[in-house]
Amino acid sequence: MELQQLCMGCMEDKGYRVQCSQCGYAEDAAPKLSYYLQPRTVLHDKYLVGRTLGQGGFAITYLAWDVNLGIKLAIKEYFPIDLVYRIPGEELVAIHSQAQDTIFANNMEKFLQEARALARFIDHPNIVSVTDFFQANRTAYLVMHYIEGVTLRDHLGRSGEKLPFNLTMEIMMPVMDALRVIHEAGLLHRDISPENVFISKGGRVILIDFGAVRRSTTANDNSVSVVMKPGYTPEEQYRSYGVQGPPTDMYATAATIYRTITGKMPPNSLDRLDQDNLIPPSELGVEIKPEQEEALLKAMAVNAGDRFKNIADFQQALLKGKSAGKSDEKVKPEKQQEKRKMAEDQELFSEGIASGQGKNKEHTADININIGRADSNDIILEDDTVSRYHARIFSHKGIWYIADLDSTHGTTLNDIPVQEPLALNPSDKIAISNQVFIFNGKGIVSEDGNLDYDLVAISKLKMLSPQGVVAGLNKFILFLKTDYNWLIAAIAACLLFIMLVIMLSVF
């Protein structure tokens, strides 16, 4: 494919049409703002710039194409709007005043620190991957993998501005996993908020925008830059000489959880110094266990010394409030507990109840395929982020459904969190934690094609197993016990007997 045929709106083949038939982007469209780089600008001799993906106070992010590798990317340009400008049609960045040269240079170095920091975590599934960084056009650029999806903020806008606590935990636990790794490296994110939590199209949760990253500070350190996001920023972050450490990110993380479950912006931390006006989520109608609410409010304490010492302690406190048998953390259940949980799950689904929610009773399962890490599952996924009993695919009247078994990191169908059974259609994308599969009508195939599971074949093997035979007999007994089914079975047996007699008499 020639580069001229590449759409600058989606980086797909548009042919020689002016307007892309896939995304609607018009080739002759001018940038939304005059100081954006023109589409088809080439950076670093190999990055083809496309449309603008977004802009913050310090940077502009563009869709891009790696000419050498032939892959879609995102490029972040350091562009502090209060310090610089660009003449329309040009590429060079100009500073408003020479007096601001030093400020611009110092902040650009901090921008490059973000790239260096992120490059250390390139293999972490929940941290945005940086593949390259460089200086050009009198500014700096950071190259990242392009990930399709939405921010938590956008997701909330589509979901009535709030989410249930359990679903919020499925989103925020991976964020806290990422923060643990970042903090162990002696770094802080300092800008956790719904805008910087990204949910990929495959359901993976990714922490983005490390523009405010820096090392932990002590009381003896020189002043640090002030990064503020009202509602999410702890009080120590407002002070140039404030001591910042893991509890700083913890406050912002807890505030993000609070916003997600209540639908309300947390009060400014500075306003809470004299009189703490933070309303507990339970008083706002949120269904949350007392232990979990206590942990959340402790993490949002105004004084950093009153919070948990680290993110891991915060996570454990939140997990203590989970029901028994619903968490994979620390202690693995004994074999007897595993069997009991599987039996309970089976009973729930035989009544058409998914994940204990009591919904969709018409979805009584004809075939059940259990998915998870435990050896007793039908499909075993060797991935630590997958729960022991993670999800179930089942059929009813010829239709396949996907259901989540109250897993830790969740299941999504086409980026929609699975909270109750959802019907499957060919080409649907199922994300089981970090594992992504495509449903092809009769089975599921991993995105890379390495894993291929034929659901019908698996169900037949289950039926031939001793457990399957017993389950079949139990199902037949249940059938006989229901209403007048015993009478139907008796009549069918008589007819079969008469047919057998006739056949014997003929031969």
Short mmCIF file of all heavy atoms in Angstrom, two decimals, residues 323-378:
data_model
loop_
_atom_site.label_atom_id
_atom_site.label_comp_id
_atom_site.label_asym_id
_atom_site.label_seq_id
_atom_site.Cartn_x
_atom_site.Cartn_y
_atom_site.Cartn_z
N SER A 323 -16.56 -10.88 49.38
CA SER A 323 -17.17 -12.09 49.92
C SER A 323 -16.22 -13.27 49.81
O SER A 323 -15.39 -13.33 48.91
CB SER A 323 -18.46 -12.41 49.17
OG SER A 323 -19.37 -11.34 49.29
N ALA A 324 -16.35 -14.23 50.70
CA ALA A 324 -15.51 -15.42 50.66
C ALA A 324 -15.71 -16.16 49.35
O ALA A 324 -16.82 -16.29 48.88
CB ALA A 324 -15.85 -16.32 51.83
N GLY A 325 -14.59 -16.65 48.79
CA GLY A 325 -14.69 -17.41 47.56
C GLY A 325 -14.72 -16.58 46.32
O GLY A 325 -14.78 -17.08 45.23
N LYS A 326 -14.68 -15.25 46.45
CA LYS A 326 -14.75 -14.39 45.27
C LYS A 326 -13.43 -13.72 44.96
O LYS A 326 -13.33 -12.94 44.06
CB LYS A 326 -15.83 -13.31 45.47
CG LYS A 326 -17.24 -13.88 45.48
CD LYS A 326 -18.26 -12.77 45.51
CE LYS A 326 -19.66 -13.31 45.48
NZ LYS A 326 -20.66 -12.26 45.50
N SER A 327 -12.42 -14.02 45.73
CA SER A 327 -11.12 -13.40 45.49
C SER A 327 -10.07 -14.46 45.30
O SER A 327 -10.10 -15.51 45.94
CB SER A 327 -10.74 -12.49 46.66
OG SER A 327 -9.43 -12.05 46.53
N ASP A 328 -9.10 -14.16 44.42
CA ASP A 328 -8.00 -15.09 44.18
C ASP A 328 -6.81 -14.76 45.06
O ASP A 328 -5.76 -15.38 44.96
CB ASP A 328 -7.52 -14.98 42.72
CG ASP A 328 -8.65 -15.18 41.76
OD1 ASP A 328 -9.53 -16.01 42.03
OD2 ASP A 328 -8.63 -14.50 40.75
N GLU A 329 -6.93 -13.76 45.90
CA GLU A 329 -5.76 -13.20 46.55
C GLU A 329 -5.19 -14.15 47.61
O GLU A 329 -5.90 -14.78 48.38
CB GLU A 329 -6.11 -11.86 47.21
CG GLU A 329 -6.63 -10.83 46.23
CD GLU A 329 -5.63 -10.53 45.14
OE1 GLU A 329 -4.45 -10.33 45.45
OE2 GLU A 329 -6.03 -10.48 43.98
N LYS A 330 -3.88 -14.22 47.64
CA LYS A 330 -3.08 -14.85 48.67
C LYS A 330 -3.38 -16.34 48.86
O LYS A 330 -2.71 -17.19 48.31
CB LYS A 330 -3.27 -14.10 50.00
CG LYS A 330 -2.77 -12.66 49.89
CD LYS A 330 -1.85 -12.34 51.00
CE LYS A 330 -1.17 -11.01 50.75
NZ LYS A 330 -0.41 -10.54 51.87
N VAL A 331 -4.41 -16.69 49.66
CA VAL A 331 -4.65 -18.08 50.02
C VAL A 331 -5.45 -18.77 48.93
O VAL A 331 -6.54 -18.36 48.59
CB VAL A 331 -5.42 -18.18 51.36
CG1 VAL A 331 -5.62 -19.64 51.72
CG2 VAL A 331 -4.66 -17.45 52.44
N LYS A 332 -4.90 -19.85 48.37
CA LYS A 332 -5.62 -20.60 47.35
C LYS A 332 -6.60 -21.54 48.04
O LYS A 332 -6.28 -22.18 49.04
CB LYS A 332 -4.63 -21.42 46.50
CG LYS A 332 -3.71 -20.55 45.67
CD LYS A 332 -2.85 -21.40 44.79
CE LYS A 332 -1.96 -20.53 43.91
NZ LYS A 332 -1.10 -21.35 43.02
N PRO A 333 -7.82 -21.68 47.55
CA PRO A 333 -8.80 -22.56 48.18
C PRO A 333 -8.37 -24.01 48.08
O PRO A 333 -7.70 -24.42 47.16
CB PRO A 333 -10.08 -22.29 47.36
CG PRO A 333 -9.60 -21.79 46.05
CD PRO A 333 -8.35 -21.04 46.34
N GLU A 334 -8.78 -24.83 49.06
CA GLU A 334 -8.51 -26.26 49.01
C GLU A 334 -9.36 -26.89 47.92
O GLU A 334 -10.32 -26.31 47.44
CB GLU A 334 -8.85 -26.89 50.38
CG GLU A 334 -8.03 -26.33 51.53
CD GLU A 334 -6.56 -26.65 51.37
OE1 GLU A 334 -6.24 -27.68 50.75
OE2 GLU A 334 -5.73 -25.86 51.87
N LYS A 335 -9.02 -28.12 47.56
CA LYS A 335 -9.74 -28.80 46.49
C LYS A 335 -11.23 -28.91 46.81
O LYS A 335 -12.08 -28.77 45.93
CB LYS A 335 -9.16 -30.21 46.29
CG LYS A 335 -7.79 -30.20 45.63
CD LYS A 335 -7.88 -29.73 44.20
CE LYS A 335 -6.52 -29.73 43.53
NZ LYS A 335 -6.59 -29.20 42.15
N GLN A 336 -11.56 -29.17 48.09
CA GLN A 336 -12.96 -29.30 48.44
C GLN A 336 -13.70 -27.98 48.22
O GLN A 336 -14.84 -27.96 47.76
CB GLN A 336 -13.09 -29.74 49.92
CG GLN A 336 -14.51 -30.14 50.33
CD GLN A 336 -15.01 -31.33 49.53
OE1 GLN A 336 -14.24 -32.19 49.15
NE2 GLN A 336 -16.30 -31.36 49.23
N GLN A 337 -13.04 -26.87 48.55
CA GLN A 337 -13.64 -25.56 48.35
C GLN A 337 -13.84 -25.29 46.87
O GLN A 337 -14.84 -24.71 46.45
CB GLN A 337 -12.76 -24.48 48.97
CG GLN A 337 -12.73 -24.51 50.48
CD GLN A 337 -11.77 -23.49 51.04
OE1 GLN A 337 -10.61 -23.44 50.66
NE2 GLN A 337 -12.25 -22.67 51.95
N GLU A 338 -12.85 -25.73 46.05
CA GLU A 338 -12.97 -25.54 44.60
C GLU A 338 -14.19 -26.28 44.07
O GLU A 338 -14.97 -25.75 43.29
CB GLU A 338 -11.70 -26.07 43.91
CG GLU A 338 -10.46 -25.25 44.19
CD GLU A 338 -9.26 -25.81 43.44
OE1 GLU A 338 -9.46 -26.68 42.57
OE2 GLU A 338 -8.14 -25.38 43.73
N LYS A 339 -14.35 -27.55 44.50
CA LYS A 339 -15.48 -28.35 44.03
C LYS A 339 -16.80 -27.73 44.46
O LYS A 339 -17.77 -27.71 43.71
CB LYS A 339 -15.37 -29.77 44.57
CG LYS A 339 -14.20 -30.56 43.96
CD LYS A 339 -14.12 -31.94 44.56
CE LYS A 339 -12.94 -32.72 43.98
NZ LYS A 339 -12.80 -34.06 44.60
N ARG A 340 -16.84 -27.23 45.73
CA ARG A 340 -18.07 -26.64 46.22
C ARG A 340 -18.43 -25.39 45.43
O ARG A 340 -19.58 -25.18 45.08
CB ARG A 340 -17.92 -26.31 47.71
CG ARG A 340 -19.21 -25.76 48.31
CD ARG A 340 -19.15 -25.71 49.83
NE ARG A 340 -18.12 -24.83 50.32
CZ ARG A 340 -17.02 -25.22 50.93
NH1 ARG A 340 -16.78 -26.51 51.11
NH2 ARG A 340 -16.13 -24.34 51.37
N LYS A 341 -17.43 -24.56 45.11
CA LYS A 341 -17.70 -23.34 44.36
C LYS A 341 -18.20 -23.67 42.96
O LYS A 341 -19.12 -23.04 42.44
CB LYS A 341 -16.46 -22.45 44.26
CG LYS A 341 -16.78 -21.13 43.59
CD LYS A 341 -15.58 -20.23 43.53
CE LYS A 341 -15.96 -18.84 43.05
NZ LYS A 341 -16.86 -18.78 41.94
N MET A 342 -17.57 -24.67 42.32
CA MET A 342 -18.02 -25.07 40.99
C MET A 342 -19.45 -25.58 41.04
O MET A 342 -20.26 -25.30 40.17
CB MET A 342 -17.09 -26.15 40.43
CG MET A 342 -15.70 -25.65 40.09
SD MET A 342 -15.71 -24.44 38.75
CE MET A 342 -16.06 -25.50 37.36
N ALA A 343 -19.78 -26.34 42.11
CA ALA A 343 -21.14 -26.86 42.24
C ALA A 343 -22.13 -25.73 42.44
O ALA A 343 -23.23 -25.73 41.88
CB ALA A 343 -21.21 -27.84 43.42
N GLU A 344 -21.73 -24.73 43.25
CA GLU A 344 -22.62 -23.58 43.47
C GLU A 344 -22.84 -22.82 42.19
O GLU A 344 -23.97 -22.41 41.87
CB GLU A 344 -22.00 -22.67 44.53
CG GLU A 344 -22.01 -23.27 45.93
CD GLU A 344 -21.20 -22.44 46.91
OE1 GLU A 344 -20.54 -21.48 46.45
OE2 GLU A 344 -21.21 -22.76 48.10
N ASP A 345 -21.75 -22.61 41.44
CA ASP A 345 -21.88 -21.91 40.16
C ASP A 345 -22.80 -22.68 39.21
O ASP A 345 -23.63 -22.10 38.51
CB ASP A 345 -20.50 -21.75 39.50
CG ASP A 345 -19.68 -20.69 40.18
OD1 ASP A 345 -20.27 -19.89 40.93
OD2 ASP A 345 -18.46 -20.67 39.98
N GLN A 346 -22.64 -24.04 39.20
CA GLN A 346 -23.45 -24.84 38.31
C GLN A 346 -24.92 -24.71 38.67
O GLN A 346 -25.80 -24.62 37.82
CB GLN A 346 -23.01 -26.31 38.37
CG GLN A 346 -23.68 -27.20 37.35
CD GLN A 346 -23.29 -26.81 35.94
OE1 GLN A 346 -22.13 -26.52 35.69
NE2 GLN A 346 -24.23 -26.78 35.05
N GLU A 347 -25.21 -24.72 39.98
CA GLU A 347 -26.59 -24.59 40.44
C GLU A 347 -27.17 -23.25 40.03
O GLU A 347 -28.32 -23.15 39.59
CB GLU A 347 -26.64 -24.75 41.95
CG GLU A 347 -28.05 -24.71 42.52
CD GLU A 347 -28.05 -24.90 44.02
OE1 GLU A 347 -27.00 -25.24 44.58
OE2 GLU A 347 -29.12 -24.70 44.63
N LEU A 348 -26.37 -22.19 40.16
CA LEU A 348 -26.84 -20.87 39.76
C LEU A 348 -27.20 -20.84 38.29
O LEU A 348 -28.25 -20.31 37.90
CB LEU A 348 -25.75 -19.82 40.04
CG LEU A 348 -25.50 -19.49 41.51
CD1 LEU A 348 -24.30 -18.56 41.62
CD2 LEU A 348 -26.72 -18.86 42.14
N PHE A 349 -26.33 -21.46 37.47
CA PHE A 349 -26.59 -21.41 36.03
C PHE A 349 -27.71 -22.35 35.62
O PHE A 349 -28.38 -22.12 34.62
CB PHE A 349 -25.30 -21.70 35.24
CG PHE A 349 -24.54 -20.45 34.98
CD1 PHE A 349 -23.77 -19.89 35.98
CD2 PHE A 349 -24.63 -19.80 33.77
CE1 PHE A 349 -23.07 -18.71 35.76
CE2 PHE A 349 -23.94 -18.63 33.54
CZ PHE A 349 -23.16 -18.09 34.54
N SER A 350 -27.92 -23.43 36.37
CA SER A 350 -29.04 -24.32 36.03
C SER A 350 -30.36 -23.61 36.25
O SER A 350 -31.37 -23.95 35.66
CB SER A 350 -28.98 -25.59 36.89
OG SER A 350 -29.28 -25.30 38.24
N GLU A 351 -30.35 -22.58 37.11
CA GLU A 351 -31.53 -21.76 37.32
C GLU A 351 -31.53 -20.53 36.42
O GLU A 351 -32.42 -19.70 36.47
CB GLU A 351 -31.60 -21.31 38.78
CG GLU A 351 -31.73 -22.47 39.77
CD GLU A 351 -31.63 -22.01 41.19
OE1 GLU A 351 -31.49 -20.79 41.40
OE2 GLU A 351 -31.69 -22.85 42.10
N GLY A 352 -30.47 -20.40 35.61
CA GLY A 352 -30.39 -19.27 34.70
C GLY A 352 -29.89 -18.01 35.35
O GLY A 352 -30.12 -16.90 34.87
N ILE A 353 -29.17 -18.14 36.48
CA ILE A 353 -28.69 -16.95 37.18
C ILE A 353 -27.21 -16.80 36.92
O ILE A 353 -26.42 -17.70 37.18
CB ILE A 353 -28.94 -17.08 38.69
CG1 ILE A 353 -30.43 -17.29 38.94
CG2 ILE A 353 -28.47 -15.86 39.44
CD1 ILE A 353 -30.76 -17.58 40.39
N ALA A 354 -26.80 -15.65 36.40
CA ALA A 354 -25.39 -15.42 36.07
C ALA A 354 -24.74 -14.58 37.14
O ALA A 354 -25.24 -13.53 37.51
CB ALA A 354 -25.27 -14.72 34.73
N SER A 355 -23.58 -15.02 37.61
CA SER A 355 -22.77 -14.27 38.57
C SER A 355 -23.53 -13.91 39.83
O SER A 355 -23.27 -12.90 40.45
CB SER A 355 -22.23 -12.99 37.91
OG SER A 355 -21.51 -13.32 36.77
N GLY A 356 -24.56 -14.72 40.19
CA GLY A 356 -25.29 -14.47 41.41
C GLY A 356 -26.18 -13.26 41.37
O GLY A 356 -26.65 -12.78 42.37
N GLN A 357 -26.47 -12.72 40.18
CA GLN A 357 -27.24 -11.49 40.09
C GLN A 357 -28.73 -11.75 39.97
O GLN A 357 -29.54 -10.83 40.03
CB GLN A 357 -26.77 -10.66 38.89
CG GLN A 357 -25.36 -10.16 39.06
CD GLN A 357 -24.92 -9.30 37.91
OE1 GLN A 357 -25.74 -8.81 37.15
NE2 GLN A 357 -23.64 -9.12 37.76
N GLY A 358 -29.13 -13.00 39.71
CA GLY A 358 -30.55 -13.31 39.65
C GLY A 358 -31.23 -12.74 38.44
O GLY A 358 -32.43 -12.53 38.42
N LYS A 359 -30.48 -12.48 37.35
CA LYS A 359 -31.06 -11.89 36.14
C LYS A 359 -31.12 -12.94 35.04
O LYS A 359 -30.45 -13.96 35.08
CB LYS A 359 -30.24 -10.70 35.68
CG LYS A 359 -30.20 -9.57 36.69
CD LYS A 359 -29.33 -8.44 36.17
CE LYS A 359 -29.25 -7.31 37.18
NZ LYS A 359 -28.40 -6.21 36.73
N ASN A 360 -31.92 -12.66 34.02
CA ASN A 360 -31.97 -13.49 32.82
C ASN A 360 -32.27 -14.96 33.13
O ASN A 360 -31.56 -15.87 32.72
CB ASN A 360 -30.66 -13.40 32.03
CG ASN A 360 -30.44 -12.01 31.51
OD1 ASN A 360 -31.31 -11.44 30.87
ND2 ASN A 360 -29.28 -11.46 31.81
N LYS A 361 -33.34 -15.23 33.85
CA LYS A 361 -33.67 -16.60 34.20
C LYS A 361 -34.05 -17.43 32.99
O LYS A 361 -34.11 -18.66 33.07
CB LYS A 361 -34.79 -16.63 35.23
CG LYS A 361 -34.33 -16.11 36.59
CD LYS A 361 -35.26 -16.55 37.68
CE LYS A 361 -34.72 -16.14 39.04
NZ LYS A 361 -35.54 -16.65 40.14
N GLU A 362 -34.34 -16.78 31.85
CA GLU A 362 -34.66 -17.54 30.67
C GLU A 362 -33.43 -18.19 30.05
O GLU A 362 -33.53 -19.02 29.18
CB GLU A 362 -35.35 -16.64 29.63
CG GLU A 362 -34.43 -15.61 28.97
CD GLU A 362 -34.28 -14.34 29.77
OE1 GLU A 362 -34.60 -14.35 30.97
OE2 GLU A 362 -33.85 -13.33 29.20
N HIS A 363 -32.24 -17.84 30.54
CA HIS A 363 -31.00 -18.35 29.96
C HIS A 363 -30.54 -19.63 30.65
O HIS A 363 -29.43 -19.72 31.12
CB HIS A 363 -29.90 -17.29 30.04
CG HIS A 363 -30.15 -16.14 29.13
ND1 HIS A 363 -29.14 -15.36 28.64
CD2 HIS A 363 -31.29 -15.63 28.62
CE1 HIS A 363 -29.66 -14.40 27.88
NE2 HIS A 363 -30.95 -14.55 27.87
N THR A 364 -31.42 -20.62 30.78
CA THR A 364 -31.03 -21.89 31.35
C THR A 364 -30.04 -22.56 30.41
O THR A 364 -30.30 -22.69 29.22
CB THR A 364 -32.25 -22.79 31.56
OG1 THR A 364 -33.20 -22.09 32.38
CG2 THR A 364 -31.86 -24.09 32.25
N ALA A 365 -28.91 -23.00 30.94
CA ALA A 365 -27.83 -23.47 30.08
C ALA A 365 -28.05 -24.90 29.61
O ALA A 365 -28.43 -25.77 30.37
CB ALA A 365 -26.51 -23.37 30.83
N ASP A 366 -27.83 -25.14 28.31
CA ASP A 366 -27.80 -26.48 27.74
C ASP A 366 -26.38 -27.02 27.76
O ASP A 366 -26.16 -28.21 27.95
CB ASP A 366 -28.32 -26.46 26.30
CG ASP A 366 -29.76 -25.97 26.22
OD1 ASP A 366 -30.54 -26.31 27.12
OD2 ASP A 366 -30.09 -25.23 25.27
N ILE A 367 -25.41 -26.13 27.51
CA ILE A 367 -23.99 -26.48 27.54
C ILE A 367 -23.26 -25.42 28.35
O ILE A 367 -23.50 -24.22 28.17
CB ILE A 367 -23.40 -26.54 26.11
CG1 ILE A 367 -24.10 -27.62 25.28
CG2 ILE A 367 -21.91 -26.81 26.16
CD1 ILE A 367 -23.68 -27.60 23.82
N ASN A 368 -22.38 -25.84 29.25
CA ASN A 368 -21.56 -24.90 30.03
C ASN A 368 -20.09 -25.15 29.77
O ASN A 368 -19.62 -26.29 29.88
CB ASN A 368 -21.82 -25.07 31.54
CG ASN A 368 -23.17 -24.52 31.96
OD1 ASN A 368 -23.51 -23.41 31.59
ND2 ASN A 368 -23.93 -25.30 32.73
N ILE A 369 -19.35 -24.11 29.43
CA ILE A 369 -17.90 -24.19 29.26
C ILE A 369 -17.28 -23.22 30.26
O ILE A 369 -17.43 -22.01 30.14
CB ILE A 369 -17.46 -23.81 27.82
CG1 ILE A 369 -18.22 -24.65 26.79
CG2 ILE A 369 -15.95 -23.96 27.68
CD1 ILE A 369 -17.90 -26.11 26.81
N ASN A 370 -16.60 -23.77 31.27
CA ASN A 370 -16.01 -22.94 32.31
C ASN A 370 -14.58 -22.54 31.95
O ASN A 370 -13.80 -23.37 31.44
CB ASN A 370 -16.01 -23.70 33.64
CG ASN A 370 -17.43 -24.07 34.06
OD1 ASN A 370 -18.31 -23.24 34.09
ND2 ASN A 370 -17.63 -25.35 34.35
N ILE A 371 -14.23 -21.29 32.21
CA ILE A 371 -12.93 -20.75 31.84
C ILE A 371 -12.25 -20.14 33.07
O ILE A 371 -12.87 -19.38 33.81
CB ILE A 371 -13.06 -19.67 30.75
CG1 ILE A 371 -13.85 -20.22 29.55
CG2 ILE A 371 -11.70 -19.16 30.30
CD1 ILE A 371 -14.21 -19.16 28.53
N GLY A 372 -10.98 -20.46 33.27
CA GLY A 372 -10.24 -19.87 34.38
C GLY A 372 -8.88 -20.52 34.54
O GLY A 372 -8.42 -21.30 33.71
N ARG A 373 -8.22 -20.21 35.67
CA ARG A 373 -6.87 -20.72 35.93
C ARG A 373 -6.88 -22.10 36.58
O ARG A 373 -5.94 -22.87 36.44
CB ARG A 373 -6.12 -19.77 36.87
CG ARG A 373 -5.27 -18.76 36.16
CD ARG A 373 -4.30 -18.00 37.05
NE ARG A 373 -4.24 -18.34 38.43
CZ ARG A 373 -4.74 -17.59 39.40
NH1 ARG A 373 -5.36 -16.48 39.12
NH2 ARG A 373 -4.62 -17.95 40.65
N ALA A 374 -7.95 -22.41 37.32
CA ALA A 374 -7.99 -23.68 38.06
C ALA A 374 -8.05 -24.87 37.11
O ALA A 374 -8.63 -24.80 36.02
CB ALA A 374 -9.20 -23.69 38.99
N ASP A 375 -7.45 -26.00 37.54
CA ASP A 375 -7.38 -27.20 36.71
C ASP A 375 -8.75 -27.79 36.42
O ASP A 375 -8.90 -28.56 35.46
CB ASP A 375 -6.51 -28.26 37.38
CG ASP A 375 -5.05 -27.83 37.46
OD1 ASP A 375 -4.66 -26.93 36.67
OD2 ASP A 375 -4.31 -28.37 38.30
N SER A 376 -9.74 -27.48 37.24
CA SER A 376 -11.07 -28.07 37.05
C SER A 376 -11.89 -27.36 35.98
O SER A 376 -13.02 -27.75 35.70
CB SER A 376 -11.83 -28.06 38.38
OG SER A 376 -11.77 -26.80 38.99
N ASN A 377 -11.35 -26.30 35.36
CA ASN A 377 -12.06 -25.61 34.28
C ASN A 377 -11.98 -26.41 32.99
O ASN A 377 -11.09 -27.24 32.80
CB ASN A 377 -11.47 -24.22 34.06
CG ASN A 377 -11.83 -23.25 35.16
OD1 ASN A 377 -12.96 -22.81 35.27
ND2 ASN A 377 -10.86 -22.93 36.01
N ASP A 378 -12.91 -26.14 32.07
CA ASP A 378 -12.89 -26.77 30.75
C ASP A 378 -11.83 -26.12 29.86
O ASP A 378 -11.21 -26.79 29.04
CB ASP A 378 -14.27 -26.65 30.09
CG ASP A 378 -15.35 -27.27 30.97
OD1 ASP A 378 -15.24 -28.46 31.29
OD2 ASP A 378 -16.30 -26.55 31.34
#
